[in-house]
Amino acid sequence: MVDLDEVFAYSSQKKVKILDRKLGFLFYGTQIAVLIYIGLFVFLLNKAYLGYEWSVGQVRVELRGAATFSTESGSKVILDDHDLMIPEMENGAVFIITGIEAVKQSRGSCDNDDFDCSSDSDCPRFPGVSQQKCGSAGKCTMAGWCPPVSSSETKKYVLDVMNSNVSVWFRTSIQFPVLAKNQSFTSFDNNVPVFDEDESELETDAWRLQDFLLSCGVKLQNIVETGAVIIARLEWNCDLETMQGCRFPDIHTKRLDSGSGFSYDYPKYLKSSSMDISQDVRLLFRYSGIRILIVPEGHAFGFSLQQTMLQLSSALALLSVAAIITDFLMMAILPERRHYTNYKQVDTPDFSDVRDLLASTANRSKVTV
């Protein structure tokens, strides 16, 4: 029969003072090692008392300066910072013009740049649009806006790198509402950009366009005609104790296009006075340039009472490891383990049997009376 007292026996701790210096050295030495680990490695080196918070920032990009654009005939035109950004305000990105192609168009029939051909059979048949005719320039003749951008009537303007002075200014702002409540780190209220060549400043928020592109291995003179797509990752690494890295974020750039560049067409329509749309005139501008995609994010770190209490609680839990290690060596490894075990573990009498014996004795006493 199963003895339930054995199955459900309760094990309680017994405080035994072992008079053995080896065990004492082992116990206190382990505790000291744990305290050194907590103090030096956890708090001093890893700074586990710090709390971390991630957040998303806000950025407004502005251009400073002006650029000279040259035509094939040698004439020049100056574009300022407002002319160079189209559109001037864009969410999460900015576009800087480096080349312009402009042509005045009207409705008619001419070569279509989107359809190459070597014979009439290479051209599609679109009723009312294309009659399967291959033009002399190797393009299919179609009805539409004429002449195409590739025609000789198109005027081209290209950025003159040597005669331009354009700077990119990233005005930023970020908040960390948990660690730095009611505090904002912003440069929106600054009136003057801080350049990296200013040796009095350890941080910067503005770069010359050439230097900005060189940070990702791109030379401005190589992309003035084709353009490029650049991602600019603005990362804050804000130390709330010293305020280092909180004023301006670090910038990391990378070119995303594989050399194909970036351009887009922008039409502007001139309505005829007769309101006949067939007589309308279209000004088509093809802009090539640098499209910068902006990702503003960062994290802050500073003293956190919650993290400190968590690490102290872990330290108190680790201190019990000293007793576990000492008990294991004392009862399983050391030569005197049987003696230690006898003092450490004691089995009590079966108190259930004692209670039964006392109950039966009391009953016999009542019967005898």
Side-chain angles (χ1 to χ4, degrees):
M1 184 176 181
V2 178
D3 188 351
L4 295 180
D5 293 326
E6 285 288 342
V7 176
F8 296 101
Y10 169 65
S11 298
S12 178
Q13 293 183 350
K14 180 181 180 181
K15 188 174 182 180
V16 181
K17 187 176 183 179
I18 307 296
L19 301 178
D20 190 332
R21 67 172 66 94
K22 294 183 295 183
L23 295 176
F25 289 155
L26 176 62
F27 175 73
Y28 292 111
T30 305
Q31 284 193 328
I32 292 174
V34 170
L35 292 175
I36 292 175
Y37 165 77
I38 296 295
L40 293 181
F41 183 78
V42 175
F43 281 95
L44 188 60
L45 295 180
N46 284 352
K47 297 183 178 180
Y49 58 89
L50 296 177
Y52 290 83
E53 182 181 359
W54 180 87
S55 183
V56 177
Q58 298 83 38
V59 180
R60 186 174 73 192
V61 181
E62 295 183 8
L63 294 185
R64 290 295 179 95
T68 302
F69 281 72
S70 302
T71 64
E72 295 178 345
S73 61
S75 61
K76 298 182 182 297
V77 61
I78 305 298
L79 300 184
D80 63 10
D81 47 9
H82 299 286
D83 301 324
L84 291 172
M85 290 181 61
I86 299 179
E88 192 169 358
M89 186 68 70
E90 189 175 0
N91 185 24
V94 62
F95 179 70
I96 305 172
I97 298 173
T98 60
I100 304 173
E101 295 179 79
V103 60
K104 185 177 181 180
Q105 299 175 320
S106 59
R107 298 184 187 275
S109 182
C110 57
D111 293 342
N112 192 309
D113 290 337
D114 296 330
F115 294 89
D116 297 327
C117 64
S118 57
S119 63
D120 292 345
S121 60
D122 294 333
C123 298
R125 179 181 292 276
F126 298 147
V129 177
S130 172
Q131 301 300 323
Q132 281 191 314
K133 181 179 179 181
C134 184
S136 59
K139 303 288 183 180
C140 295
T141 301
M142 294 184 179
W145 290 100
C146 301
V149 178
S150 60
S151 69
S152 58
E153 298 181 31
T154 300
K155 293 183 179 180
K156 297 182 179 180
Y157 303 85
V158 179
L159 176 68
D160 186 352
V161 178
M162 300 302 296
N163 296 308
S164 300
N165 183 18
V166 180
S167 300
V168 186
W169 184 14
F170 293 89
R171 306 181 73 172
T172 59
S173 177
I174 196 170
Q175 290 181 320
F176 301 99
V178 176
L179 294 179
K181 191 176 182 180
N182 300 325
Q183 189 172 5
S184 178
F185 304 98
T186 180
S187 61
F188 281 176
D189 52 357
N190 292 353
N191 296 321
V192 179
V194 179
F195 289 90
D196 53 354
E197 58 261 23
D198 188 352
E199 297 181 355
S200 63
E201 296 288 346
L202 298 179
E203 298 174 304
T204 179
D205 64 349
W207 294 265
R208 294 177 64 248
L209 183 58
Q210 290 90 328
D211 297 334
F212 175 80
L213 293 174
L214 284 176
S215 65
C216 58
V218 177
K219 293 183 178 180
L220 179 58
Q221 58 267 28
N222 295 338
I223 62 168
V224 290
E225 295 187 10
T226 59
V229 180
I230 308 294
I231 183 171
R233 189 176 299 275
L234 306 179
E235 296 183 355
W236 283 264
N237 189 25
C238 179
D239 186 348
L240 295 176
E241 294 181 351
T242 63
M243 292 300 169
Q244 185 176 357
C246 300
R247 184 184 179 191
F248 301 136
D250 296 328
I251 186 168
H252 306 279
T253 59
K254 181 180 179 181
R255 184 174 183 179
L256 297 183
D257 67 288
S258 57
S260 58
F262 182 83
S263 64
Y264 75 95
D265 295 343
Y266 176 75
K268 185 176 181 181
Y269 297 91
L270 303 178
K271 299 293 183 180
S272 65
S273 58
S274 63
M275 300 303 293
D276 183 359
I277 61 174
S278 64
Q279 302 299 319
D280 289 348
V281 174
R282 184 175 79 172
L283 304 178
L284 182 62
F285 299 90
R286 176 166 294 175
Y287 297 112
S288 58
I290 305 165
R291 181 168 175 80
I292 304 174
L293 307 177
I294 305 168
V295 182
E297 60 185 10
H299 70 275
F301 54 93
F303 175 78
S304 172
L305 181 60
Q306 293 88 342
Q307 288 294 323
T308 302
M309 296 304 297
L310 177 62
Q311 297 303 325
L312 290 177
S313 301
S314 301
L316 293 176
L318 283 176
L319 288 177
S320 62
V321 173
I324 296 174
I325 294 175
T326 304
D327 285 349
F328 174 75
L329 294 176
M330 178 181 69
M331 302 173 65
I333 303 298
L334 295 180
E336 301 87 354
R337 56 184 177 275
R338 286 189 299 175
H339 301 290
Y340 295 140
T341 303
N342 291 334
Y343 284 102
K344 180 70 175 176
Q345 295 179 349
V346 178
D347 293 336
T348 67
D350 191 338
F351 289 102
S352 296
D353 295 339
V354 173
R355 285 193 297 270
D356 293 341
L357 179 60
L358 292 175
S360 62
T361 303
N363 290 335
R364 284 198 300 271
S365 299
K366 291 180 181 180
V367 171
T368 303
V369 174

